[in-house]
Amino acid sequence: LKTKMSFVAGTMRFCRECNNFLHAREDRENRSLFFECHSCPYREVLGSGCVYKSNLVRSTELKLDIVHEDVINDPTLQRSYTQMCDRCHGKNSVFFQADDTSTLNLIFVCTLCGRKWVA
């Protein structure tokens, strides 16, 4: 068992002996992780137990600026005659569900002035 550190390029590890790709393996008996070369006997024990870490960052705000103003002319969208626009005080708008699986927000677009809001 050799203890030399391997060359790290990004998240890939390469063998110091033959420069081939090191493959991640586990030793179930000793409950440890290591990298090994398939071309030579080089083996490197992993210091920490973390092999891969995925940070999920999700924005919860809706981006209303990507809604095109021509949606008011779409005959397939539902119409609302009860939601009042804060800008022009009109009650005619089209609405649709936001393309976000985590929320059930409705996006309204005023057919008179084009203002967009979430309700």
Side-chain angles (χ1 to χ4, degrees):
L1 178 71
K2 297 181 182 181
T3 59
K4 289 193 290 186
M5 293 300 293
S6 64
F7 172 72
V8 178
T11 58
M12 297 176 62
R13 294 176 184 252
F14 297 94
C15 178
R16 282 285 189 188
E17 301 293 322
C18 62
N19 292 326
N20 285 318
F21 180 73
L22 291 177
H23 299 272
R25 298 285 182 249
E26 69 174 325
D27 183 0
R28 290 184 187 226
E29 293 176 5
N30 296 326
R31 296 183 53 92
S32 64
L33 299 173
F34 60 91
F35 288 96
E36 73 177 358
C37 180
H38 286 205
S39 300
C40 72
Y42 181 78
R43 189 180 217 193
E44 178 183 318
V45 177
L46 188 64
S48 68
C50 182
V51 175
Y52 177 78
K53 184 177 180 181
S54 176
N55 293 326
L56 297 176
V57 177
R58 178 173 234 173
S59 175
T60 57
E61 65 183 42
L62 291 172
K63 303 209 179 331
L64 294 178
D65 55 340
I66 63 172
V67 177
H68 199 273
E69 63 261 4
D70 285 341
V71 296
I72 61 174
N73 299 322
D74 188 347
T76 62
L77 291 179
Q78 292 180 313
R79 307 283 170 172
S80 173
Y81 303 102
T82 58
Q83 288 286 326
M84 184 180 289
C85 175
D86 290 340
R87 185 188 297 163
C88 71
H89 303 292
K91 289 191 176 184
N92 296 338
S93 60
V94 296
F95 66 97
F96 54 94
Q97 186 174 352
D99 190 21
D100 186 7
T101 57
S102 65
T103 61
L104 296 175
N105 292 330
L106 292 177
I107 298 176
F108 287 85
V109 181
C110 179
T111 58
L112 300 174
C113 69
R115 179 181 170 267
K116 303 164 196 153
W117 72 92
V118 178

